[in-house]
Amino acid sequence: MQELEGAFRGAGWNVIKVLWGRLWDPLLEKDKTGLLQKRMDEVCDGELQNYKNMGGAYTREHFFGKYPELLKLVEDLSDNDIAELNRGGHDPYKVYAAYWEAVNNNGGKPTVILAQTVKGYGMGTSGEATNDTHSVKELDEKNLHLFRDRFDIPLSDDELDTIPFYRPPTDSPEMEYMRERREALGGALPARRAQADAVLSVPPLSDFEPILAGSGGREISTTMAFVRLLSILVKDKNIGQRVVPIVPDEARTFGMEGMFRQLGIFSPVGQKYTPVDANQMLYYKESEQGQILEEGINEAGAMSAWIACATSYSAHNYPLVPFYIFYSMFGFQRIGDLAWAAGDSSCRGFLIGGTAGRTTLAGEGLQHQDGHSLLLAASIPNCVTYDPCYGYEMAVIIQRGMQEMVVEQKNCYYYITAMNENYAQPAMPAGVEEGIVRGMYCLQRSENAQVQLLGSGTILREVEARQRFYEQFQLRANVWV
């Protein structure tokens, strides 16, 4: 308990401990030596289970018996009285006082309440304070009666024999209180907004013509093509302000530094220091109006921010289009469970896996040697996965994803890989849009083809090279993506 308290206090939290119930208060007031407090502080957590499991006589001997003064302190208490000395987590008065303190005296800090409880509380000898509590399927007759008496359930012995379901009367204080609280929380049943009220439009594919037209012979990566696409999106008058780029680390590695000055990195306090690259045109700019979320080296925090944005349509009736850009394999090693949580939460947005494939940047191990992030992403039922090789493919995929998630409001999200390898980006062939979305199209068609070649992502350019190699031997091949 003390170690847990230290961890929270070290992180700047308020800590309220609710360890001992109010039945101990008279003993603490009666003790003038401070020995009872000392004994409470020094007892091992493991011993606390024995005190509840072994009963009052055992507690008298082993807890109070360590110091003669403590034995004298409880000499007027029976073994049953000692057994009834309660823990703070089971005392509604103490728990209420802790919550009141947390709400009214937090000093602007978050508060954690550490409450001490008893495993299997109320189960008597059938499972209270025993290690098999979770395996107990039912209470025997004796402990069922004890349970009823302990919690003041108004059932007679005859009624108890049938183990009935008990519900307090409609006009009882308990039921009236529960109804009041439920009404204050918005109604009898939890509700989740499945569709946002706002009807948004997304830019047509033609708006991405600079990417669809190719790079004009200049060698660029699909990561750079994605950054260009993102720049077009944030300028769109309809959804530009709803686009949320999120990076956990190394935005410059992904070529996103050009967006620092354009959009700014969100900080609730603005720029508080002079960045080391302040003399550069693309310096690190923080702003209270910043649009980029830069979480530092914190993939879990960045993914949590993405989930918050990707569920904004439901939680706040305000659809957003978040893009979380991270090292593909390195990222999934850290946030795979959160990716599943995103599916469970009906998230809508884009995950961009950078440095896809086992190609370049091999110096840092698996974070740059991605062989299976797409397999991990594809295992999530409502995660739509793509492995594009060319910028125009990425543009078609993202435009279609926005159409599905923002306009049609489908419950899915996209995982798209991006590469850092530089090569000339071709213009989009005519009529391939539907094939790209469906997952397969013919990129290079040869008359009277004898061989069908298939590839995508990082291997596609090698497949195209194989087609050219075959041509030396008059062997015709189609290339499918």
Side-chain angles (χ1 to χ4, degrees):
M1 181 69 76
Q2 302 301 91
E3 293 173 2
L4 190 57
E5 177 187 13
F8 277 102
R9 287 198 184 278
W13 287 54
N14 292 319
V15 179
I16 299 174
K17 292 183 291 185
V18 187
L19 308 185
W20 308 96
R22 68 185 185 280
L23 298 181
W24 290 85
D25 291 349
L27 294 178
L28 288 166
E29 294 175 6
K30 186 178 177 182
D31 176 38
K32 304 302 181 185
T33 64
L35 281 175
L36 181 56
Q37 178 71 58
K38 178 182 178 182
R39 185 70 182 113
M40 288 174 163
D41 292 340
E42 70 186 13
V43 67
C44 293
D45 291 347
E47 276 297 313
L48 295 172
Q49 186 174 6
N50 281 328
Y51 299 146
K52 277 299 178 185
N53 181 258
M54 306 297 287
Y58 180 92
T59 304
R60 184 190 300 274
E61 177 184 354
H62 292 85
F63 180 82
F64 294 101
K66 183 172 182 178
Y67 301 109
E69 295 88 342
L70 294 185
L71 279 175
K72 186 172 180 60
L73 190 68
V74 294
E75 63 183 1
D76 59 337
L77 298 182
S78 67
D79 289 344
N80 186 62
D81 292 334
I82 292 177
E84 292 297 318
L85 292 171
N86 57 346
R87 304 286 168 82
H90 297 304
D91 189 326
Y93 290 79
K94 295 287 186 178
V95 172
Y96 179 88
Y99 272 93
W100 190 95
E101 181 70 18
V103 170
N104 292 283
N105 296 296
N106 57 24
K109 298 180 180 180
T111 297
V112 61
I113 297 173
L114 305 179
Q116 186 183 108
T117 59
V118 178
K119 189 176 183 180
Y121 177 68
M123 295 174 64
T125 56
S126 291
E128 181 166 310
T130 63
N131 291 332
D132 59 353
T133 300
H134 290 293
S135 300
V136 176
K137 301 296 187 293
E138 59 184 16
L139 302 183
D140 59 32
E141 183 178 349
K142 174 187 175 183
N143 285 301
L144 193 59
H145 284 72
L146 290 174
F147 186 93
R148 174 201 61 186
D149 296 340
R150 171 175 282 187
F151 297 110
D152 297 323
I153 301 174
L155 294 174
S156 67
D157 289 349
D158 292 339
E159 290 175 311
L160 203 59
D161 289 341
T162 62
I163 315 180
F165 175 78
Y166 172 71
R167 178 176 181 174
T170 303
D171 58 350
S172 67
E174 299 92 337
M175 296 299 286
E176 290 182 352
Y177 174 80
M178 289 177 65
R179 282 195 299 272
E180 289 174 1
R181 293 294 84 215
R182 177 47 57 194
E183 289 172 6
L185 291 172
L189 292 175
R192 183 186 183 281
R193 184 183 291 105
Q195 303 287 324
D197 294 336
V199 178
L200 303 178
S201 61
V202 299
L205 188 59
S206 58
D207 281 12
F208 302 104
E209 181 59 28
I211 299 166
L212 302 178
S215 59
R218 180 188 173 194
E219 294 190 346
I220 66 170
S221 64
T222 52
T223 300
M224 181 55 67
F226 165 72
V227 173
R228 290 181 175 179
L229 185 149
L230 204 57
S231 297
I232 294 172
L233 273 181
V234 297
K235 295 174 184 174
D236 183 81
K237 64 180 184 300
N238 294 315
I239 66 166
Q241 291 187 335
R242 296 176 185 255
V243 174
V244 186
I246 303 172
V247 288
D249 181 28
E250 299 194 54
R252 292 184 186 277
T253 302
F254 296 122
M256 296 182 64
E257 66 270 25
M259 306 185 76
F260 288 167
R261 286 191 63 182
Q262 178 184 351
L263 301 179
I265 298 163
F266 173 73
S267 170
V269 295
Q271 188 86 49
K272 302 283 285 186
Y273 62 95
T274 301
V276 68
D277 55 0
N279 61 339
Q280 300 180 22
M281 183 176 67
L282 306 178
Y283 66 89
Y284 191 89
K285 175 188 174 184
E286 295 182 353
S287 168
E288 294 179 37
Q289 289 77 42
Q291 197 165 339
I292 299 173
L293 298 182
E294 218 284 354
E295 301 286 348
I297 306 177
N298 182 2
E299 282 87 353
M303 186 63 177
S304 297
W306 181 85
I307 290 175
C309 294
T311 55
S312 176
Y313 75 92
S314 177
H316 306 292
N317 199 26
Y318 192 85
L320 295 172
V321 186
F323 291 85
Y324 172 30
I325 304 95
F326 60 94
Y327 285 132
S328 53
M329 193 60 253
F330 209 38
F332 263 101
Q333 288 173 331
R334 285 169 163 77
I335 54 89
D337 54 343
L338 288 173
W340 272 92
D344 292 338
S345 303
S346 297
C347 284
R348 299 172 186 170
F350 295 90
L351 298 180
I352 307 297
T355 61
R358 301 195 171 206
T359 53
T360 57
L361 283 181
E364 296 185 41
L366 278 180
Q367 80 178 72
H368 297 309
Q369 293 287 290
D370 174 20
H372 57 290
S373 73
L374 281 159
L375 296 177
L376 296 177
S379 69
I380 302 170
N382 50 349
C383 179
V384 182
T385 60
Y386 285 100
D387 187 27
C389 177
Y390 293 125
Y392 69 80
E393 295 175 327
M394 183 167 283
V396 170
I397 292 165
I398 289 178
Q399 197 276 339
R400 177 55 187 164
M402 289 189 297
Q403 179 71 23
E404 285 191 341
M405 292 182 281
V406 177
V407 179
E408 300 171 20
Q409 299 203 47
K410 293 183 179 179
N411 285 331
C412 62
Y413 68 90
Y414 279 48
Y415 174 67
I416 307 171
T417 57
M419 291 179 277
N420 70 306
E421 209 173 345
N422 293 323
Y423 44 85
Q425 299 285 333
M428 184 174 69
V432 300
E433 295 92 325
E434 187 63 25
I436 292 173
V437 171
R438 294 180 63 185
M440 188 174 181
Y441 69 97
C442 189
L443 176 63
Q444 301 284 351
R445 190 179 296 276
S446 298
E447 187 175 352
N448 300 320
Q450 302 155 285
V451 178
Q452 307 296 329
L453 300 176
L454 176 66
S456 67
T458 54
I459 201 65
L460 177 59
R461 295 178 66 247
E462 302 303 321
V463 173
E464 292 181 277
R466 177 57 57 174
Q467 182 203 40
R468 294 190 293 272
F469 175 78
Y470 285 162
E471 288 176 350
Q472 300 177 46
F473 305 97
Q474 287 73 50
L475 186 61
R476 303 297 181 185
N478 291 334
V479 176
W480 295 84
V481 182

